Amino acid sequence: MLGVCYYPEHWNEDRWETDARRMRELGISFVRIGEFAWSRLEPSRGNYDFAWLDRAMDVLTKAGLKIVLGTPTATPPKWLIDEYPDILPYDEQGRPRGFGSRRHYTFSSETWWRESARIVEAVAERYGEHPGLVGWQTDNEYGCHDTTLSWGPEDLKAFRRWLRLRYQSADQLNEAWGSVFWSMEVGSFDEVALPNLTVTESNPATRLDFWRFHSDQIAAYDKMQCEIIRKHSPDRWITHNFMGFVLDFDHFQVADNLDLASWDSYPIGFVEKFPFSEAERNRWAETSHPDIAPFHHDLYRAVGRGRFWVMEQQPGPVNWAPWNPIPKPGMVRLWTWEALAHGAEVVSYFRWRQAPFAQEQMHAGLNLPGLDELSPGGREAEQVAKEFAIVGTLPEVQKAKVAIVFDYQSYWTTKIQPQGKDFHYEELTFRWYESLRRLGMDIDFVRPGASLDGYALVVLPCATEISVDLERQLRRFDGVLLIGPRTGSRTRNFSIPDNLPPGPLADLTGHRVLQVSTLRPGLAQSVTGEAAGAAIRWREDIEASGDVLARFGDGMPAFTRNGKIHYLACWPDEALLTATMAQVLDAAGLAKFEVPDHVRLRRRGNLVFAFNYGEDDWQVPAGMRIVLGESNLRPYEVTVWQA
Amino acid sequence: MLGVCYYPEHWNEDRWETDARRMRELGISFVRIGEFAWSRLEPSRGNYDFAWLDRAMDVLTKAGLKIVLGTPTATPPKWLIDEYPDILPYDEQGRPRGFGSRRHYTFSSETWWRESARIVEAVAERYGEHPGLVGWQTDNEYGCHDTTLSWGPEDLKAFRRWLRLRYQSADQLNEAWGSVFWSMEVGSFDEVALPNLTVTESNPATRLDFWRFHSDQIAAYDKMQCEIIRKHSPDRWITHNFMGFVLDFDHFQVADNLDLASWDSYPIGFVEKFPFSEAERNRWAETSHPDIAPFHHDLYRAVGRGRFWVMEQQPGPVNWAPWNPIPKPGMVRLWTWEALAHGAEVVSYFRWRQAPFAQEQMHAGLNLPGLDELSPGGREAEQVAKEFAIVGTLPEVQKAKVAIVFDYQSYWTTKIQPQGKDFHYEELTFRWYESLRRLGMDIDFVRPGASLDGYALVVLPCATEISVDLERQLRRFDGVLLIGPRTGSRTRNFSIPDNLPPGPLADLTGHRVLQVSTLRPGLAQSVTGEAAGAAIRWREDIEASGDVLARFGDGMPAFTRNGKIHYLACWPDEALLTATMAQVLDAAGLAKFEVPDHVRLRRRGNLVFAFNYGEDDWQVPAGMRIVLGESNLRPYEVTVWQA
Amino acid sequence: MLGVCYYPEHWNEDRWETDARRMRELGISFVRIGEFAWSRLEPSRGNYDFAWLDRAMDVLTKAGLKIVLGTPTATPPKWLIDEYPDILPYDEQGRPRGFGSRRHYTFSSETWWRESARIVEAVAERYGEHPGLVGWQTDNEYGCHDTTLSWGPEDLKAFRRWLRLRYQSADQLNEAWGSVFWSMEVGSFDEVALPNLTVTESNPATRLDFWRFHSDQIAAYDKMQCEIIRKHSPDRWITHNFMGFVLDFDHFQVADNLDLASWDSYPIGFVEKFPFSEAERNRWAETSHPDIAPFHHDLYRAVGRGRFWVMEQQPGPVNWAPWNPIPKPGMVRLWTWEALAHGAEVVSYFRWRQAPFAQEQMHAGLNLPGLDELSPGGREAEQVAKEFAIVGTLPEVQKAKVAIVFDYQSYWTTKIQPQGKDFHYEELTFRWYESLRRLGMDIDFVRPGASLDGYALVVLPCATEISVDLERQLRRFDGVLLIGPRTGSRTRNFSIPDNLPPGPLADLTGHRVLQVSTLRPGLAQSVTGEAAGAAIRWREDIEASGDVLARFGDGMPAFTRNGKIHYLACWPDEALLTATMAQVLDAAGLAKFEVPDHVRLRRRGNLVFAFNYGEDDWQVPAGMRIVLGESNLRPYEVTVWQA
């Protein structure tokens, strides 16, 4: 199903009907509205104006569109900020981040919670039972523009409250943080300082708690909104639109409040944000890398406990990356089918019509700026809608055979303490995901501590802290397990475990880590054995009691096996990574199906989808019953067949 | 004619007479003084000390030198800043920019206007009728060191006043800026915030108005000084010394107050500031690029409505670039002749003698540091002075056949919204200028909206907003027109035109722009047809109703012609740019005369000047009557012949 | 002798005895403690707790260890900062640098001096006569983390006091600084502003004085601590542990207070901090460059007037560089022997056991994190201890034949005014040192103005100001002298000398500098003659009255000789540098012994030490009486023989 993001407040009211009709004609079923409209819903304190939104929702409903309504908390209006400047967030440099764009609030402000509750209540009360309404979106892209962490006086107050609950006494906090080091001990919680603007590095344990504190706040804030909405709108679902590659808070935790997850998919913009090499950025500039969107689809399917939407789908060039190329013709259609192949319930384009004004005026829409005329991307969306009739109802999504454990906290931990400047948790995980998909795998992501039952292979690229739940699941898991570097390297208090890494997993993996080497770009250490290649960036000196499958040039173990549990003691280069994955897939009895670097496969029920991100054709295996597309898969094309 | 910048206050009084005599002996006619001397003219509030300047001006006058006197407002003294800290400017990070160098004031401060008027009045009253005085310089290098924009409380106050005049009501401001987007609406002008330190990008329309506001302020501030000076010194001319590549305010607008323009020419320092590639920076490190100084000469000839000086000419290595090489022997002479060839009335060297103290102690002068002994650059100036006798009085400057429209606002607009990180308005314009000069053209710059009468070819590399005046001139122009990318892409309110770009020019050019692609370094899109090469950085998808002269690889129009009006829908690489220029020169019936990349020609009246910036000789066309130099133009040499 | 840094406060008291015993078993004689323990020594104001330290010192003493006790002033506790926030330093951006790491104080704070004196007195009184105590360390790594300079209100007050003493009157200050330039004159010392956050560059003379002021403050602060300690502990020596490549204050001046110098040797971490090329960083990533540690050993031998320790020796990977590789096996042993070869009295490892918590948890120790088990580095230390028996007592260190004058102020001067972005004083000096060592030389460093008697060759890579003392020593010196670029280029007041550079040395060198060229990377100017190669980065145009040994491509003198005094008028590339050194060594009658780039030699008494930093073997000259190691010097190995 298709949807679209729409801003009735941006257009003269006399255009709404045409817009709604043309949406339906294009094949759109869902429309998301309202999430930035606070200044129109409440132009000054207490002076609510719902009339225009009433009319807009009626027009849309009459046209047959189903409405998703956003709470407008991402954009508190100027009069509110002037009234309560304590709402503003602070950057790490200690400066207030001012009014004039969006997300100018800190989750730590008690004023902000009160004001948020007030506007959410007003909107939910008004529209909770509107016949056109099918669901809600809370706020917009939590954490986007680095707005998870804030470093102001309100944050310090709230952080101290959070610490008091966690540690009960200053002595326990000092003990947990190792504050005796450099005389950092505090006599009371009121002595705790923010971990920014210190002379040199601040305590990593403090920083991890600061990150957890903010993540907890987002989850609680979102829950507050959900509870108000549910009171007034008990029969509608609630989602939040997560922004891709924003990893500063725990999305699993926030989604505990939600009925389904959604995410905002800007495949080309992300090419500039992800730590790709310049060569890769050039290679994938006009298509995106073939795993960028799928990685997120699979992740948000997990975050949404099986249910997810793409709430915002890039429909052409965007405005916010350093460079913003037009996608290759066909890509908007390809991305749409791809999302559906990975289980998206709805793909909703951002936005109906390009706005000719303000910050996003260079962001494409399904229609040209200001006009009732489809853009190139709009015409591709129209094509997809027509193809729905050919393909028919999509089958249910099945559980994959391979799972990757994705851990937000490991991202925070390795950001706080990279030890090597290019150790990026998200890149490590992405490369492991990419490598498995190059070998033809479908992949599920799993929350740390969730059940691993039913998987043939589970991969843990890096889980710095082994929680009790995660340990329990790993111990009960009876399939093949591949564990990556730094796993188990930190306790809950950001210390090295007493028995050295991997801490509680030591008996499972049969190794311990003595010391760690981080390698500058250009340095590599060869690895030979049953998996061969080289270690780059990160390499551990380990002792191993199990089988040593591969060794570094100096003879130390690089890749080990203890029963079904494999450990890779380095950041692998592409060759070593592929060999490692081949090894564990074989061990798990999973058949590999290698695809070129520009082609990816994805199964949904009995359908197989193939996507071509490159300039070269690819041949579908012979004898398949093709449902959509051709057996010769041309550039930027999709082929679907029955398995 | 030659001039020099001199600081009597830097030297013991007993050296003034020798200095003046030696200036005359070298061949210098003009001397600029006084522009940084406030702390000596008024050592404490109201305690004026003109005696030393009286004596200095008398010494200089007696030696036969003509004096240009600068108002000392670029350097308010410490006692004044301590008395009124509201004079200080603020940087974009929100911090006051302190005392201790120069230009430490904001144009928004009412205190500053009052104090400026006071000192200007005092100086103008004292010296307005001095027999040695021929002209005035207001302040010094407006905008240098990023001092056009300021982000403090005084600026906010003044910006709100300016907006109130422009928009009359908050509703009209909201409408113009599209403030409904992200709930940025304000209820009154007092709610308007500075567009810095926002969470993400602030509204580009706000930023453009902020830039216009500051540009207006500079023009008004300069006018205030001019009016005071004219009251006391009605028979002298007034100029301002603009700094090369400072584009933050509209120089045409400021020059409306002035009798003639002048600019400060540091050809080698600019090599490090202009967005050249590293290869080009190395290539031109010791000579400058052969279009850097000429580009400015031609621009300031337009700014000065035909009249300009070089007020400060680099006479050797400077101190302020990341690297500061000694110019190749001959370059100081070459630059001097070049300025004259382009129409400069006077070339005034900065400075008479290298100061052995303070910030610019590594900046060469015509004399060695502290000594009465010519520097290598000084000896080259001496040579030029002697050559005046050979060449004789220079003929009048004629109007060129080719004009480039130069638009400061387009620089601001594309800085505010580059869309591709390497879209630099000044570079685009420079490359088009360079390409035309490589084909032997003389060039005039034209202010947007000024008459285009009499040109065979007019080039508009990029004019984002088409003002009513510019549109009128383009419609009446009957020569060949070449228009570049992004032209007409924004309304006065920084919106996309209702009919898409090029907005009001759509019927002239016969195209409209559907979407835009920006390309990372390394990406290029081939262009073939009557002009061939590649698009880099920026490429538009357009619909064209006229002739398509060249197409992109995907078949879309790249270069079009509608009658005599040509449109280039991309940033061209060198090959495409040359081919495009050749095409329009041919269309305009202008004969091309191609020169190597290190040689440039310039005509003045019946004289042709050739300049060699490279290491290889160049042969003057056979049979010319040579006035200066040789027919074999050696490296770093000048040859002049009669056309 | 070996030592170790130990933190009893980091471990349960019941582990102290085992730790002490195991230290002795490994062969350790000295233990440094206490330097970060303020929060344990005084948990709240006036509430001293010495009991734990009493017990710790008794345990260590009983085990036979000799104690070095650090004053805890590098880490003022939180209660003190909360009580007196004026203790905090400010960064150059004008922001207070907060509590939460270390060195969070400014030397300008009077409160801080009072509080420092109080805690030092308390500790010195308590332990001054402790039987296990052999010496004191003041504070920890002055200047580390850019803590020499501070830019807050306390600093401004103290700077004005310092200036009043230096200049007596505002007029003299204005005269010295050339404040007439840009109207920077002040009417009183109360008008002096900090030289940061100015609109453009602030006065270099001001900045140099600001640097001198802070350097003076550190020396005075250290002296204050020393005087208190000596009062209570008259029979123990005092040192300070200087941090490698911290050059922001004059270490010679601080060491005037001390009995011996010590420094903290992190050879691999420094590879990332020193301005090496990326190729060199990769080459030496796992061993360090073979001159990094020796350069410091030789420098601190001078700073300590012949006596120095390595107070902290890297024992494995560290945590604070962008990348932190494990040293190649053998390097910890190699570095230890190397320090001893260069004259270190004690090599003390940092630290006994890796801390599993807080900021340095990834910093190796002699024992694994939290465990009583030697790390790989710990086992190498153990090996060295055993080898002491083989080698026996080391002979006395002799004076070298070659000396390099090392001048901290020249580092400040060239930082303040680089003129070319890559002019790094420390790199120039380092390259000259490297070149001499590649030719087999042992080297002494000499403080500017100290006696040069007895050296055959003295090298002055760059001494910007020629003090009266330095001039006197140069005039009396009768050996061969090599002087490098920029020498004598500034007076005491940061002006160019009246007679041009080299100012007071003009008659000695027989040259003067007319102008200077700085060259971007990629530019070079060939040099030919008795020394050939190229100038990079910096090149002077000089007039020379003596012999011209080599010339630039344009014929100007590049390398000159006036009697025994040589002058090199550029930054030499490697070829030119080697040829220059060969020339002056020959002139001095010193025999060269060339070694490959990965091998270095060092003589101590009758012993010759050879160290192999590379992957290739090296052969010891035939016929030597080998004391340790083998005649085939393998990678990362040491060989010692009798000369």
Side-chain angles (χ1 to χ4, degrees), chain C residues 49-344:
Chain C
D49 178 5
F50 290 118
W52 69 270
L53 186 53
D54 293 349
R55 293 192 298 275
M57 288 181 65
D58 289 347
V59 167
L60 296 168
T61 305
K62 270 180 206 146
L65 291 155
K66 295 171 191 157
I67 296 169
V68 179
L69 186 58
T71 65
T73 45
T75 50
K78 188 61 174 0
W79 58 260
L80 177 55
I81 298 301
D82 285 350
E83 200 179 341
Y84 295 113
D86 61 299
I87 289 172
L88 290 179
Y90 280 64
D91 65 20
E92 197 169 348
Q93 305 308 307
R95 297 171 307 195
R97 304 177 75 183
F99 181 87
S101 61
R102 58 179 180 174
R103 303 210 55 69
H104 38 280
Y105 68 78
T106 172
F107 294 99
S108 303
S109 162
E110 296 188 344
T111 306
W112 175 243
W113 279 54
R114 192 182 65 232
E115 291 293 321
S116 296
R118 192 177 58 75
I119 192 68
V120 171
E121 182 112 37
V123 173
E125 195 170 17
R126 182 81 179 192
Y127 299 109
E129 304 287 359
H130 190 286
L133 186 80
V134 295
W136 289 88
Q137 174 187 298
T138 53
D139 203 282
N140 184 76
E141 295 176 350
Y142 289 136
C144 195
H145 318 304
D146 285 320
T147 53
T148 298
L149 304 187
S150 170
W151 313 79
E154 296 302 308
D155 303 293
L156 179 56
K157 271 192 275 179
F159 184 41
R160 287 171 173 172
R161 282 196 299 268
W162 185 90
L163 290 170
R164 188 171 279 121
L165 286 175
R166 184 176 178 93
Y167 293 109
Q168 306 299 321
S169 76
D171 283 353
Q172 294 197 65
L173 174 142
N174 288 330
E175 176 66 23
W177 285 359
S179 303
V180 62
F181 191 85
W182 290 352
S183 278
M184 294 181 296
E185 290 163 309
V186 292
S188 78
F189 290 101
D190 291 337
E191 285 188 12
V192 170
L194 292 173
N196 63 331
L197 295 173
T198 48
V199 171
T200 181
E201 187 186 357
S202 58
N203 193 330
T206 311
R207 278 181 286 156
L208 178 58
D209 271 349
F210 194 62
W211 223 312
R212 286 166 169 157
F213 147 68
H214 278 300
S215 184
D216 283 357
Q217 283 199 145
I218 294 186
Y221 176 83
D222 191 71
K223 192 172 179 202
M224 174 270 284
Q225 290 210 6
C226 289
E227 286 172 352
I228 293 169
I229 292 168
R230 290 212 170 87
K231 188 171 63 176
H232 298 288
S233 190
D235 303 323
R236 272 69 175 184
W237 50 256
I238 310 179
T239 192
H240 172 76
N241 62 327
F242 297 98
M243 181 60 175
F245 286 127
V246 167
L247 306 173
D248 286 335
F249 63 95
D250 188 329
H251 296 199
F252 291 116
Q253 190 185 358
V254 170
D256 285 340
N257 309 317
L258 303 173
D259 299 292
L260 57 91
S262 68
W263 79 286
D264 295 347
S265 178
Y266 295 95
I268 283 189
F270 294 148
V271 169
E272 293 287 343
K273 293 200 109 184
F274 189 79
F276 285 121
S277 68
E278 289 300 289
E280 281 178 302
R281 286 210 175 117
N282 281 359
R283 168 89 194 271
W284 306 114
E286 296 169 285
T287 58
S288 189
H289 182 290
D291 291 306
I292 282 280
F295 181 93
H296 287 89
H297 295 320
D298 292 344
L299 176 59
Y300 287 102
R301 200 174 60 246
V303 168
R305 300 179 303 281
R307 295 193 60 192
F308 81 104
W309 284 31
V310 172
M311 188 59 87
E312 301 183 8
Q313 171 62 54
Q314 174 169 6
V318 299
N319 64 302
W320 45 264
W323 288 273
N324 298 287
I326 298 173
K328 283 283 187 190
M331 289 310 298
V332 172
R333 170 177 169 258
L334 185 154
W335 294 326
T336 307
W337 274 116
E338 182 179 60
L340 298 169
H342 283 262

Side-chain angles (χ1 to χ4, degrees), chain C residues 482-498:
Chain C
L482 171 64
I483 293 177
R486 304 188 80 156
T487 296
S489 62
R490 289 295 171 273
T491 68
R492 183 164 180 271
N493 292 327
F494 209 109
S495 289
I496 299 172
D498 287 344

Side-chain angles (χ1 to χ4, degrees), chain C residues 371-428:
Chain C
L371 300 179
D372 291 340
E373 186 179 342
L374 289 183
S375 66
R379 289 195 295 270
E380 294 191 22
E382 192 177 33
Q383 181 184 348
V384 173
K386 285 179 187 149
E387 290 168 344
F388 283 167
I390 303 168
V391 178
T393 306
L394 293 171
E396 285 299 296
V397 175
Q398 317 100 309
K399 192 182 184 89
K401 293 292 177 204
V402 178
I404 297 179
V405 178
F406 191 88
D407 179 29
Y408 289 92
Q409 184 179 277
S410 292
Y411 171 82
W412 314 335
T413 302
T414 52
K415 275 283 216 193
I416 289 168
Q417 189 180 72
Q419 183 67 4
K421 202 174 154 184
D422 50 6
F423 193 104
H424 306 296
Y425 170 80
E426 74 282 21
E427 186 182 357
L428 183 73

Side-chain angles (χ1 to χ4, degrees), chain B residues 55 105 148 219 277 280 289 347 400 402 412 478 539 566 619:
Chain B
R55 294 192 299 274
Y105 67 78
T148 298
S277 69
E280 282 179 300
H289 182 290
V347 176
V402 178
W412 312 337
D478 61 359
R539 169 244 158 99
H566 300 69
Q619 300 305 320

Side-chain angles (χ1 to χ4, degrees), chain B residues 156-208:
Chain B
L156 180 55
K157 273 192 274 178
F159 185 40
R160 287 171 174 173
R161 282 195 300 269
W162 185 91
L163 290 172
R164 189 171 279 122
L165 286 174
R166 184 176 178 93
Y167 293 109
Q168 306 298 322
S169 76
D171 283 354
Q172 293 197 66
L173 175 143
N174 288 329
E175 175 65 23
W177 285 359
S179 302
V180 62
F181 192 84
W182 290 353
S183 278
M184 294 182 296
E185 291 164 309
V186 291
S188 78
F189 290 101
D190 291 338
E191 285 188 12
V192 171
L194 292 172
N196 63 332
L197 295 173
T198 48
V199 171
T200 181
E201 188 187 356
S202 58
N203 193 329
T206 310
R207 278 181 288 157
L208 179 58

Side-chain angles (χ1 to χ4, degrees), chain C residues 333-334 337-338 341 437 593 595 598-603 607-613 618-621 628-634 636-641:
Chain C
R333 170 177 169 258
L334 185 154
W337 274 116
E338 182 179 60
R437 292 199 74 219
F593 184 89
V595 289
H598 60 288
V599 172
R600 291 294 182 282
L601 304 179
R602 167 75 197 177
R603 291 149 205 84
L607 296 183
V608 184
F609 293 73
F611 304 99
N612 189 347
Y613 274 75
W618 184 78
Q619 300 304 321
V620 168
L628 184 72
E630 302 170 17
S631 64
N632 178 36
L633 179 66
R634 282 170 306 158
Y636 325 125
E637 275 289 351
V638 181
T639 299
V640 187
W641 67 88

